[in-house]
Amino acid sequence: MKTLDTLRTTMRRDQVWDFMRPKQGLELDMSHGTILYLEDISVTFDGFRAIDHLNLYIDAGELRCIIGPNGAGKTTMMDIITGKTRPDTGTAWFGQTIDLLRLSEPEIASLGIGRKFQKPTVFEPLSVMENLELAMAADKRVWPTLRARLTAEQRTRIDEVLETIGLQKHRAQRAGALSHGQKQWLEIGMLLMQDPYLLLVDEPVAGMTHQEMDRTAELLKSLAGKHSVVVVEHDMDFVRSIANKVTVLHQGSVLAEGTMDEVQNDPRVIEVYLGG
C-alpha cells in the first residue's frame, strides 16, 4: 500500500510539472512529408566511434525497422533522438523546424517523441486502467487524486487505447499479473495516451510467445499512418512480418536500406550480419 500511496501522491493529475510543459513556439512542421532527419551524425565514446556519419530519414506515418549486429549503433541512435546522448557532429531535426540537439530529454518527450525500452516498465501495483490514467498527457490540469472522476472524453480515450492494445478485458487487472507480452502492450498503450507523433520501440518481441509476437505485429502495423514508428529488432521473421522498409546499421552508419528481400539479398548485409 505504501508504494501505491506514493504513486498517488507523486502523480497527482492536478499537478503540472515544469519539465513536462511544452516549450512555447515549437510546432511540428511535416509539410515535406518527413518527420525525422538525422544528418552526418557522429558520436565517440572513449575513442570508440559508436555512430559514424549517420544519415537517416523517417517519413510521417511510416513504420520503419532498424536491424544490425550488436554494436551497430542502434541504441545510441535512439539515445540521440531522445536527447540522452549528444553527438559530436551532425544535425537532428524533428520535422522542418525543431532542432532536437537544442532540447532536453523531457522537452523532446513533451513534443511527441515516445520511447519504449526492451524491458517493460509499467506500474505493477496498479491496474491496467490506472497505468493508462497516469500516462495521460500532463498538461490537463484536472483531478487531484488517482481515483477522481474521469470526463467522458478521457474515458473514451482510455477505451480507445485499451481496444488498440487488446487489453479491454484486463482493464481492472493488476499490471503485475499480466503476461510479459501484455505488459509490453500496456507500455505501448501508455505511450499512446500521450498521443506521440513518433514512437521508438526497442526489441518489442524479445521473450514473447509466437502468439504474442503475432499480436504485437498486428498492433504495430495498426499504429502506422496515425504515428511514425521506428522498431529496432533482431528477430528477422518478425521484421519481415511488419516492415515495408528496413534500414541496416553497421559500425554506426547505414549499410543498406530497402525492402526485407532487398537487404537480405545484399552481399554486404550477408557478409556482416546475416552470416552468409
Side-chain angles (χ1 to χ4, degrees), residues 149-177:
R149 182 174 296 178
L150 300 174
T151 67
E153 180 182 359
Q154 288 146 356
R155 286 190 176 278
T156 297
R157 178 58 183 155
I158 290 174
D159 288 341
E160 290 172 349
V161 171
L162 283 169
E163 182 176 0
T164 297
I165 63 178
L167 294 180
Q168 307 98 309
K169 296 180 180 179
H170 301 275
R171 66 170 62 223
Q173 186 172 345
R174 188 174 65 86

Side-chain angles (χ1 to χ4, degrees), residues 119-234:
K119 183 179 179 180
T121 52
V122 300
F123 297 110
E124 295 199 350
L126 304 184
S127 71
V128 168
M129 184 167 178
E130 287 170 335
N131 270 269
L132 295 179
E133 290 179 50
L134 287 176
M136 196 170 291
D139 61 350
K140 298 176 180 178
R141 305 184 193 184
V142 292
W143 319 305
T145 66
L146 185 64
R147 295 188 180 278
R149 182 174 296 178
L150 300 174
T151 67
E153 180 182 359
Q154 288 146 356
R155 286 190 176 278
T156 297
R157 178 58 183 155
I158 290 174
D159 288 341
E160 290 172 349
V161 171
L162 283 169
E163 182 176 0
T164 297
I165 63 178
L167 294 180
Q168 307 98 309
K169 296 180 180 179
H170 301 275
R171 66 170 62 223
Q173 186 172 345
R174 188 174 65 86
L178 297 175
S179 71
H180 173 70
Q182 290 171 330
K183 288 178 182 177
Q184 298 280 30
W185 305 333
L186 175 56
E187 188 175 17
I188 291 174
M190 292 170 70
L191 290 175
L192 293 178
M193 290 302 301
Q194 301 167 41
D195 201 21
Y197 294 103
L198 174 63
L199 275 170
L200 307 176
V201 185
D202 191 6
E203 296 191 42
V205 299
M208 285 189 180
T209 66
H210 287 296
Q211 185 176 12
E212 288 174 333
M213 289 174 64
D214 291 342
R215 171 63 191 127
T216 303
E218 294 174 2
L219 170 57
L220 293 175
K221 287 191 291 186
S222 75
L223 299 180
K226 304 171 188 175
H227 312 267
S228 300
V229 185
V230 175
V231 179
V232 169
E233 184 53 66
H234 286 290

Side-chain angles (χ1 to χ4, degrees), residues 78-99:
M78 291 197 292
D79 287 346
I80 290 170
I81 296 169
T82 56
K84 183 178 180 181
T85 295
R86 298 296 182 186
D88 302 323
T89 62
T91 59
W93 293 89
F94 190 41
Q96 299 295 303
T97 59
I98 300 175
D99 184 355

